[in-house]
Amino acid sequence: MDELTLLARALPDAPPPSAEVVERARARLAAARQEPPRPRRSGRRGRLVWAWTLGTAMATAAVVMAVVTLVSSLALVPAPALVPSGGNEALLRLADEVAKLPDDRGAYWRRPLLNNGLIRVKAGDKAFNVLSSSRIDLWQPRDVRDPVHVEQWEQFVRPATPADERVWRAAGAPATVQRVCTPGTRAGDCKKIRMRSKPSDCLSTHAAEPGGVLGDRRLGELTLADISALPGDAALLRERLRAYWKASKSARAWKSFEEFLPMARVLLELPVSPSVRAAALRLLAGLPTTKVRGSVTDPMGRQGLAVTFVKSEGFTGQFGADDEVAERYVTILHPRTGTLLAANVSIAAESAEGLAQGTVMHYQAWAPEAGWTDERPERPRGCRRSDRPIP
Amino acid sequence: MTQPQPVETLEADDAELIRRSHDDPEQFAGLFDRYIQQIHRYVARRLGTQAADDIAAETFLTAFRRRASYDVTQRLARPWLYGIATTLMARHRRGEERFLRALSRTGVDPLPEPMADAVVGRVAAQEEDRRLAGALAGLSQGDRDVLLLVAGGDLTYEEVAWALGVPIGTVRSRLHRARKKARAALGGDDPTREVS
């Protein structure tokens, strides 16, 4: 017998996993399937629905400069400094404030999403980090006959910190750098990355969505009219979600309604009225899975409230010389409106080469222009029109 | 539970399922059904069932989150999943080495399994197997990964190279080293064997 087979046979065989183990694993996967997709740096384009929950890069010409200025200091922003939170009462207090806000609406609900993340790269034989930024802007019209407008921009790829910039410059400031191939990354994915100082590659679509169904379908096919009819009371809202959970095959991927309930957080990312948002915050505050982490400065330098809605830890293959790096995620909410400031904020839970524990590695932030507006979206000059949905 | 079936008999191959899952994440469940048993077994053999329960689940979560980077020209996702599982297992390297060394000393799986499982499990009680377990423990993590993917996971050299993101030459040289250690162990002069 071949030595290799003999070696492998020295290990005891293993029994198949029990049905319970398989079901538990299946439930974990089902829960992940309801999460907003992680930013994609490459690969195919999906349907318009994805424009709601992820992006590769977008901005309007009008705000590009402002965003570049803001984001350029991102990597310098220290990891969110958590302060004592006083339990989930902070969410209840926030809900009280949100409930008092006027229900101002404009002709469009705008959701500008920034997808930013660190990438480990090499120039010559020196490794350093770059910050890659992309943006996707969505205008959801109040009038369902109006088209949905989406714009996508690749914003920049630049050294993440002044120290990273020194390494890049010392290597002759090359226009392309080599992505470091960390363990678990396929050789084919360790591609060269083009440094980019200005926003480019704008792509836009302008198309009516049949029936005015919103792109974010994590809570089913909803229209603005549907979400206007949601109750502004936490107990009633809970029952509405129960009805949805019972009726929806994908929602029932969770074993129980209680396991499904943290999905109420999706309401914070939809154009709901302040009273519904307040009800959602109250509902979430009462769940055992919700943990308020305290006041933080978000990666864009804004004050916010950090919350974990589900147990959320993972690993990133972007860093780590001999292993992946553990990361944890938080959601950061606006401290007065309860809307999203940043989601999927991934923070290094351990240090690795080129990465200090506590560093923000990637996140999806809503730019300050988010919210209702009467300003009609215009395709910026030089922005390519796409017939295919973005992204 | 759908039992894993030969891909040839299925309507959609793995790449097609992954492609569809971009728009319809539910499709990814099909991949889970096909491979959960194989991945669990592979991890359980190396780390015991307790760690495998968690790592096998984590493998599919990681795969799902990374599906956008899947090379859809690769029809079968098996090597990709084995690669992810192997990477996740690297975090348990020290645990695996303890496991193997205990096996080499006593010939008994050091992680107690439930009674029913113990009946199914094969105990490596033979002297030769004990020496080989010692040799396995003495391999580097990278060498052991390649060996167990080829001999335990039934992957081709090309598939292992893809799974681990290393050149095929590296796969061959790692296997060469593993063979040498196995020969030394069987010859009774294994320099890596722990004297207990």
Side-chain angles (χ1 to χ4, degrees):
Chain A
M1 190 181 290
D2 174 64
E3 293 95 343
L4 297 182
T5 315
L6 275 176
L7 260 183
R9 277 178 46 140
L11 287 177
D13 203 354
S18 68
E20 191 200 340
V21 164
V22 172
E23 280 318 305
R24 226 171 26 231
R26 190 195 305 279
R28 282 177 70 186
L29 182 62
R33 290 203 299 268
Q34 307 297 325
E35 291 172 358
R38 300 276 291 271
R40 286 190 244 157
R41 300 281 169 213
S42 60
R44 66 194 57 254
R45 303 296 191 205
R47 292 191 314 233
L48 183 61
V49 295
W50 294 107
W52 281 70
T53 48
L54 64 87
T56 46
M58 307 216 151
T60 59
V63 296
V64 163
M65 286 322 291
V67 169
V68 167
T69 314
L70 264 174
V71 178
S72 62
S73 61
L74 281 182
L76 304 176
V77 175
L82 302 180
V83 299
S85 61
N88 290 349
E89 285 150 24
L91 272 185
L92 295 174
R93 283 198 300 274
L94 174 59
D96 290 344
E97 293 305 311
V98 172
K100 293 178 201 158
L101 295 173
D103 187 10
D104 290 333
R105 294 182 175 225
Y108 301 92
W109 182 72
R110 184 170 172 198
R111 204 265 342 251
L113 189 70
L114 302 167
N115 264 300
N116 291 358
L118 295 178
I119 304 174
R120 189 85 178 140
V121 296
K122 262 186 176 176
D125 58 350
K126 299 279 191 233
F128 63 104
N129 298 340
V130 293
L131 181 67
S132 168
S133 176
S134 57
R135 177 170 173 137
I136 184 164
D137 262 71
L138 171 97
W139 278 264
Q140 179 72 34
R142 199 167 171 190
D143 183 341
V144 296
R145 293 164 302 182
D146 251 9
V148 178
H149 183 84
V150 184
E151 270 172 38
Q152 170 180 305
W153 288 85
E154 297 296 335
Q155 297 215 110
F156 61 79
V157 179
R158 59 170 63 143
T161 64
D164 291 316
E165 178 154 11
R166 283 194 291 277
V167 176
W168 177 60
R169 293 209 178 279
T176 58
V177 290
Q178 176 67 48
R179 184 177 157 188
V180 170
C181 204
T182 49
T185 314
R186 290 180 42 229
D189 287 342
C190 305
K191 291 178 180 155
K192 287 200 183 306
I193 294 173
R194 180 169 292 282
M195 301 295 279
R196 189 193 297 263
S197 59
K198 287 186 302 198
S200 60
D201 293 355
C202 178
L203 205 60
S204 75
T205 62
H206 202 67
E209 187 69 14
V213 174
L214 302 178
D216 189 334
R217 300 182 191 202
R218 283 177 287 167
L219 290 177
E221 297 200 347
L222 296 167
T223 62
L224 284 178
D226 292 332
I227 60 174
S228 293
L230 288 174
D233 171 272
L236 293 176
L237 186 60
R238 187 186 171 101
E239 290 316 302
R240 285 293 281 275
L241 288 169
R242 189 194 297 277
Y244 167 67
W245 175 76
K246 275 187 182 159
S248 159
K249 195 178 155 203
S250 64
R252 274 187 287 108
W254 279 273
K255 271 189 191 157
S256 67
F257 174 56
E258 284 66 31
E259 285 176 83
F260 163 74
L261 262 180
M263 280 298 283
R265 70 187 185 278
V266 172
L267 292 169
L268 305 177
E269 300 179 40
L270 293 175
V272 296
S273 67
S275 62
V276 173
R277 196 156 56 246
L281 289 168
R282 289 191 182 108
L283 175 57
L284 288 162
L287 301 181
T289 38
T290 300
K291 297 272 179 294
V292 173
R293 321 289 295 196
S295 297
V296 298
T297 303
D298 92 337
M300 297 186 64
R302 304 171 292 192
Q303 283 301 302
L305 185 67
V307 190
T308 304
F309 290 120
V310 282
K311 187 186 170 210
S312 49
E313 291 153 354
F315 300 103
T316 174
Q318 198 64 253
F319 287 89
D322 63 355
D323 206 346
E324 297 201 323
V325 173
E327 58 185 349
R328 58 187 173 82
Y329 305 100
V330 293
T331 299
I332 303 177
L333 301 177
H334 193 290
R336 284 182 298 283
T337 65
T339 51
L340 207 75
L341 287 181
N344 300 314
V345 180
S346 143
I347 301 164
E350 58 189 339
S351 296
E353 190 183 305
L355 183 77
Q357 182 178 353
T359 306
V360 172
M361 291 186 284
H362 55 82
Y363 58 91
Q364 292 168 290
W366 286 23
E369 321 59 82
W372 289 98
T373 175
D374 283 326
E375 201 180 322
R376 199 178 177 78
E378 299 279 347
R379 186 160 53 101
R381 189 174 296 166
C383 188
R384 209 150 41 87
R385 190 186 286 278
S386 168
D387 293 332
R388 299 177 62 193
I390 292 175
Chain B
M1 173 69 204
T2 308
Q3 293 301 318
Q5 307 167 44
V7 161
E8 288 69 18
T9 66
L10 296 166
E11 282 176 12
D13 62 27
D14 299 341
E16 176 63 17
L17 272 187
I18 293 169
R19 196 190 60 72
R20 288 184 198 164
S21 77
H22 292 307
D23 288 343
D24 178 8
E26 299 301 316
Q27 296 282 338
F28 205 82
L31 208 66
F32 176 90
D33 289 339
R34 282 177 195 175
Y35 294 114
I36 180 69
Q37 303 272 355
Q38 290 179 47
I39 295 295
H40 188 278
R41 178 169 180 257
Y42 166 66
V43 181
R45 288 191 72 198
R46 295 186 62 174
L47 294 176
T49 52
Q50 219 170 4
D53 291 351
D54 196 46
I55 291 174
E58 192 66 33
T59 298
F60 286 90
L61 281 183
T62 306
F64 177 73
R65 289 176 176 145
R66 290 189 190 160
R67 68 194 190 283
S69 63
Y70 184 80
D71 176 359
V72 288
T73 61
Q74 300 285 348
R75 215 165 56 82
L76 296 181
R78 206 165 73 98
W80 180 59
L81 292 169
Y82 272 92
I84 293 171
T86 304
T87 305
L88 292 173
M89 275 194 295
R91 310 183 70 80
H92 298 260
R93 182 173 53 224
R94 282 188 291 273
E96 182 178 37
E97 280 162 15
R98 274 198 301 275
F99 177 87
L100 290 167
R101 292 202 187 283
L103 202 60
S104 75
R105 279 195 296 273
T106 64
V108 177
D109 182 343
L111 297 177
E113 308 285 6
M115 192 57 85
D117 292 347
V119 177
V120 183
R122 185 175 67 85
V123 176
Q126 309 239 337
E127 175 61 22
E128 186 179 274
D129 282 354
R130 288 175 54 183
R131 274 189 277 152
L132 287 167
L136 267 178
L139 291 177
S140 74
Q141 177 76 16
D143 292 357
R144 197 159 51 229
D145 286 345
V146 169
L147 164 70
L148 294 174
L149 284 171
V150 171
D154 246 0
L155 299 191
T156 64
Y157 292 7
E158 288 79 7
E159 286 174 332
V160 174
W162 178 41
L164 300 180
V166 297
I168 194 157
T170 306
V171 172
R172 290 184 198 284
S173 60
R174 288 181 182 179
L175 284 175
H176 179 70
R177 275 200 297 272
R179 249 194 207 102
K180 262 172 59 182
K181 292 230 166 134
R183 261 185 228 129
L186 293 170
D189 58 351
D190 172 17
T192 66
R193 186 150 64 97
E194 192 177 76
V195 178
S196 55

